[in-house]
């Protein structure tokens, strides 16, 4: 038997950062995002030998160990080890699993599209299929969050786990007490088509480690620094405004909000932007883009831009000339899925 699974990456449209503790624990957070046809993939194969094997060919990294109830999470592939440890502990009675797990992603590391959390979701979905676990969407998303943020102590938010699990256009609200409400949005087809025609996804060529940016945002909340705090509250408020614009199909209105939120985002921490990112942004606007922002925490990865569809080719060529790489994407309404091969 072979089990395969996949989970979609996402573009964040508004509210990113308000899903990070302690801000969302104190003030609540709100995020608008949509999943796209770029994925993380997982293949799980039971093996006869008492071994645990993890392979990530896109990273050219592998791990092999004797089967154990708990693996040390230091070293390579900590996400794989964290998922394995939690599954064995919570769902297999502490008994080791003899498996080979192979994973890869459509996006480069540090993309800002939620790759790490989406990979955790895809791996969990493979185990759900393998062990026939009675886990629903909220269960998988929360378990993915706990593995990353609590078990592995990795800095970050919680929108990506829910986006990858549920799929589609979602307005996600985060409340104190770890309460999360996923509001699926019923977007008319013509609005999706218009947004797809208007959206340009550009890889800056810079992969980044978001930990230091998120850590600074967290420290700013703890200290109550006025400017970053007001910026975070504005990001939450604008998420509600962007949801309204999206539901009406007001793409230009959405773009105006995107432009404002990018300015607010840069106030929440240092190193969110740099000279290269600023050059790409100004190049895009000079050639017909309405607005744009860096996906995820910032510092590199992908840039999401809203453009005049008539000028899309012009914008894309100008960005490529400036060192960017264009990805053509479509929205995917589906969340994570898994299947078995016999």
């Amino acid at each position: 038997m072979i089990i395969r699974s996949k989970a979609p990456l996402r573009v964040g449209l508004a509210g990113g950062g308000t899903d990070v503790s302690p801000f969302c624990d104190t003030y609540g957070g709100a995020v608008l995002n949509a999943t796209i046809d770029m994925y993380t993939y997982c293949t799980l194969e039971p093996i006869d030998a008492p071994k645990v094997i993890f392979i990530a060919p896109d990273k050219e990294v592998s791990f092999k160990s004797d089967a154990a109830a708990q693996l040390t999470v230091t070293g390579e592939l900590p996400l794989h080890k964290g998922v394995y440890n939690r599954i064995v502990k919570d769902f297999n009675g502490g008994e080791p699993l003899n498996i080979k797990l192979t994973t890869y992603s459509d996006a480069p590391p540090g993309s800002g599209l939620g790759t790490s959390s989406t990979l955790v979701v895809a791996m969990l979905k493979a185990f759900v299929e393998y062990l026939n676990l009675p886990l629903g969407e909220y269960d998988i998303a929360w378990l993915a969050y706990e593995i990353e943020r609590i078990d592995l102590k990795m800095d970050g938010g919680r929108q990506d786990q829910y986006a990858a699990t549920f799929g589609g256009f979602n307005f996600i609200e985060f409340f104190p007490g770890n309460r999360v409400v996923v509001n699926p949005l019923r977007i008319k087809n013509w609005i999706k088509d218009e947004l797809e025609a208007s959206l340009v996804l550009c890889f800056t060529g810079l992969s980044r480690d978001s930990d230091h940016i998120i850590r600074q945002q967290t420290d700013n909340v703890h200290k109550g620094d006025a400017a970053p705090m007001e910026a975070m509250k504005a990001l939450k408020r604008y998420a509600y405004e962007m949801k309204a614009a999206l539901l009406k199909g007001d793409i230009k209105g959405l773009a105006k909000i995107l432009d404002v939120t990018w300015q607010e985002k840069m106030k929440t921490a240092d190193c969110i932007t740099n000279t290269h990112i600023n050059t790409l942004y100004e190049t895009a606007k000079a050639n017909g883009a309405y607005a744009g922002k860096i996906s995820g925490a910032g510092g590199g990865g992908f840039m999401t831009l809203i453009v005049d569809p008539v000028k899309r080719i012009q914008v894309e060529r100008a960005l490529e000339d400036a060192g960017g790489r264009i990805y053509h994407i479509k929205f995917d309404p589906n969340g994570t899925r898994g299947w078995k091969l016999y």
Side-chain angles (χ1 to χ4, degrees):
M1 179 174 63
I2 296 175
I3 296 92
R4 299 199 202 282
S5 63
K6 63 192 290 190
L9 301 176
R10 60 98 188 106
V11 288
L13 296 173
T18 69
D19 60 317
V20 178
S21 295
F23 182 85
C24 62
D25 303 323
T26 305
Y27 303 99
V31 169
L32 175 63
N33 58 36
T35 48
I36 59 176
D37 61 347
M38 294 174 66
Y39 308 92
T40 60
Y41 304 86
C42 178
T43 295
L44 188 157
E45 300 172 77
I47 56 178
D48 293 331
K51 298 288 183 182
V52 176
I53 302 170
F54 302 141
I55 302 173
D58 54 338
K59 296 182 177 181
E60 299 183 340
V61 174
S62 63
F63 168 85
K64 185 175 182 179
S65 167
D66 292 332
Q70 292 289 286
L71 303 174
T72 303
V73 296
T74 55
E76 300 287 2
L77 304 179
L79 293 175
H80 298 61
K81 297 170 185 174
V83 169
Y84 173 89
N85 287 346
R86 193 64 181 272
I87 290 294
V88 168
K89 174 177 174 287
D90 289 0
F91 303 104
N92 207 50
E95 292 296 320
L97 290 166
N98 305 330
I99 60 164
K100 176 181 176 183
L101 205 66
T102 304
T103 64
Y104 57 96
S105 173
D106 284 334
S111 66
L113 300 178
T115 308
S116 295
S117 299
T118 305
L119 179 59
V120 173
V121 168
M123 288 190 285
L124 285 175
K125 185 62 175 177
F127 279 108
V128 166
E129 294 293 323
Y130 178 42
L131 300 174
N132 296 312
L133 302 179
L135 298 180
E137 292 162 325
Y138 277 100
D139 301 317
I140 293 173
W142 180 252
L143 182 57
Y145 169 79
E146 285 192 326
I147 290 169
E148 273 193 281
R149 308 295 176 234
I150 299 174
D151 297 355
L152 299 177
K153 296 179 173 55
M154 294 179 171
D155 293 318
R158 55 194 79 181
Q159 67 159 310
D160 300 339
Q161 296 87 348
Y162 288 88
T165 304
F166 282 81
F169 283 81
N170 288 300
F171 188 76
I172 311 174
E173 296 174 289
F174 304 92
F175 299 97
N178 292 324
R179 187 165 71 91
V180 180
V181 176
V182 178
N183 304 282
L185 301 182
R186 297 181 63 181
I187 309 297
K188 294 178 180 178
N189 287 333
W190 73 265
I191 297 176
K192 291 180 186 178
D193 290 341
E194 180 65 15
L195 185 57
E196 266 184 13
S198 305
L199 192 145
V200 169
L201 196 63
C202 173
F203 184 55
T204 63
L206 304 173
S207 294
R208 85 288 182 273
D209 181 355
S210 63
D211 285 1
H212 71 286
I213 298 174
I214 294 170
R215 211 170 294 125
Q216 186 179 20
Q217 291 173 330
T218 300
D219 290 343
N220 288 337
V221 173
H222 279 303
K223 292 184 294 186
D225 285 0
M229 284 295 294
E230 288 305 311
M232 293 290 283
K233 292 176 181 178
L235 289 173
K236 177 184 174 182
R237 185 173 65 252
Y238 283 122
Y240 285 90
E241 293 186 16
M242 187 177 286
K243 178 185 72 169
L246 177 62
L247 289 170
K248 291 187 294 186
D250 182 5
I251 304 302
K252 286 187 177 180
L254 185 151
K256 288 179 181 178
I257 297 169
L258 188 71
D259 196 39
V260 173
T261 57
W262 172 235
Q263 305 305 317
E264 295 292 343
K265 180 81 171 177
M266 288 188 285
K267 299 175 186 176
T268 64
D270 296 334
C271 302
I272 284 179
T273 190
N274 53 49
T275 302
H276 179 58
I277 292 172
N278 291 340
T279 297
L280 289 174
Y281 184 75
E282 294 304 324
T283 297
K285 292 198 79 172
N287 284 275
Y290 297 131
K293 72 176 189 68
I294 282 292
S295 296
F302 279 85
M303 178 174 287
T304 304
L305 297 146
I306 304 297
V307 308
D308 179 347
V310 173
K311 297 181 180 179
R312 177 180 182 137
I313 299 301
Q314 179 180 329
V315 171
E316 291 179 344
R317 287 174 178 167
L319 286 169
E320 288 176 335
D321 289 342
R325 189 161 84 235
I326 302 301
Y327 282 66
H328 294 110
I329 57 96
K330 295 185 181 298
F331 297 116
D332 186 341
N334 300 303
T336 187
R337 49 268 208 196
W339 59 97
K340 298 176 182 178
L341 302 171
Y342 293 96

